[in-house]
Amino acid sequence: SHLQGRQDLDTAGDAARFAPKELTPKQKAMVNAFDRYVCLIEPPKADDDAFEEHCDVQYARARTYYEAQHWEEAARAFREVAHSCKQKDVAVYAAHLYLESLNILGTKLSETRDSCVKTMREDLPVFIESFCSSERLARDPEEYGDKCVQFEIVLSDVTRLEAEALVKRADAGGPDSLALYERAAELYLSLWEGGGRQACIDKTAACAKQEEILYNAAQAFQSARLIAKAISVRKILINPDYGLQDTVPAQKAVYEIG
């Protein structure tokens, strides 16, 4: 069986707490004003101050939707700021709130949307590339450093959630089950190869839960009938170079290798 990642509790309570609120007359007026501004004003590309003001107005519009818990509108608006204003500091805040809005859409409401998890996984590498370069980190090491750590954690979480969803679909049976198991295994393995391996070598906090990720990758390869790949991943688990050999998943791997 697969080891489950982070679980969301109190679904019914979350659905009530995060339900959209009706926009107040003031909020409606603000959104209308922001919409007119964004649609009618196209700042000259050479005018940096005008462009920054345009980004700030777009962010304010997104924030208004966010505070009214209109998560879909907020997510769309924050995403636009994150992508179109990525050279401005406001973009990293927009990216963070965009992901938070998508997370609520995907996991907290009465009708959750699995597609939101996939969308987050697709956007996160773009954000990491845009906001976590050495140049951006040098601009404000504390602020950008904290946000980049959060992006990496969220990327790991949503990749794991997507892999778990694929395994669940495969477990239900069907002609594509073996392909779904293999896709899930590759997703799990991407977490290890994309940063987990180095984190375990360096003994940093990002090594946490890597034994579960590797174990799940091996199980998914096994379910896909890719036995050699499953054994190869289990050998990583018991390799002392990574410091995972004494964990419960590693002990299970020893038994399963035989």
Side-chain angles (χ1 to χ4, degrees):
S1 64
H2 290 254
L3 305 175
Q4 297 297 302
R6 299 183 183 186
Q7 300 296 306
D8 290 296
L9 305 176
D10 191 22
T11 305
D14 283 345
R17 190 162 64 254
F18 293 106
K21 302 174 183 177
E22 187 173 350
L23 289 169
T24 66
K26 182 179 179 182
Q27 286 173 324
K28 287 179 182 177
M30 289 170 65
V31 166
N32 287 336
F34 293 147
D35 284 346
R36 285 195 300 273
Y37 178 92
V38 170
C39 290
L40 297 176
I41 305 297
E42 184 67 36
K45 287 186 167 54
D47 190 336
D48 193 60
D49 289 341
F51 178 67
E52 185 159 2
E53 183 178 334
H54 197 265
C55 292
D56 288 342
V57 171
Q58 286 181 288
Y59 180 83
R61 176 177 62 166
R63 186 82 201 195
T64 303
Y65 282 126
Y66 179 85
E67 289 172 358
Q69 300 188 172
H70 286 227
W71 308 114
E72 190 166 349
E73 295 91 337
R76 271 200 304 266
F78 281 131
R79 186 178 190 274
E80 174 64 23
V81 178
H83 283 290
S84 66
C85 303
K86 59 186 177 183
Q87 295 307 315
K88 301 299 177 185
D89 288 338
V90 71
V92 73
Y93 299 107
H96 179 72
L97 292 177
Y98 160 65
L99 294 171
E100 191 170 318
S101 300
L102 270 191
N103 179 55
I104 291 167
L105 281 169
T107 63
K108 303 291 188 184
L109 302 182
S110 55
E111 293 185 12
T112 60
R113 307 182 192 184
D114 290 342
S115 61
C116 291
V117 173
K118 186 172 184 293
T119 302
M120 280 194 280
R121 195 176 70 79
E122 290 169 352
D123 277 326
L124 272 158
V126 179
F127 294 156
I128 290 168
E129 183 179 355
S130 296
F131 305 127
C132 304
S133 65
S134 55
E135 179 188 347
R136 294 299 278 266
L137 290 169
R139 186 189 301 180
D140 188 338
E142 186 172 343
E143 186 60 47
Y144 279 95
D146 288 346
K147 288 289 188 295
C148 289
V149 168
Q150 291 171 29
F151 289 153
E152 294 283 2
I153 290 170
V154 174
L155 178 58
S156 177
D157 284 349
V158 298
T159 302
R160 184 166 179 169
L161 282 172
E162 189 175 353
E164 288 173 3
L166 288 171
V167 168
K168 189 174 180 180
R169 283 172 55 196
D171 286 346
D176 59 348
S177 289
L178 295 181
L180 291 172
Y181 282 128
E182 184 177 6
R183 278 171 55 198
E186 296 293 355
L187 276 179
Y188 282 126
L189 203 56
S190 74
L191 290 172
W192 171 253
E193 293 174 345
R197 182 198 302 272
Q198 194 59 48
C200 290
I201 290 172
D202 296 340
K203 306 291 189 290
T204 65
C207 183
K209 305 290 187 183
Q210 289 298 315
E211 70 276 10
E212 295 179 4
I213 287 165
L214 287 168
Y215 184 81
N216 288 349
Q219 291 296 93
F221 277 131
Q222 183 87 25
S223 297
R225 301 178 188 167
L226 298 169
I227 308 305
K229 287 188 174 182
I231 292 172
S232 176
V233 174
R234 289 178 179 131
K235 286 181 176 178
I236 296 172
L237 257 178
I238 62 177
N239 186 335
D241 289 348
Y242 304 118
L244 304 173
Q245 71 277 10
D246 295 325
T247 63
V248 171
Q251 291 165 11
K252 287 183 180 180
V254 171
Y255 173 78
E256 288 161 356
I257 289 172

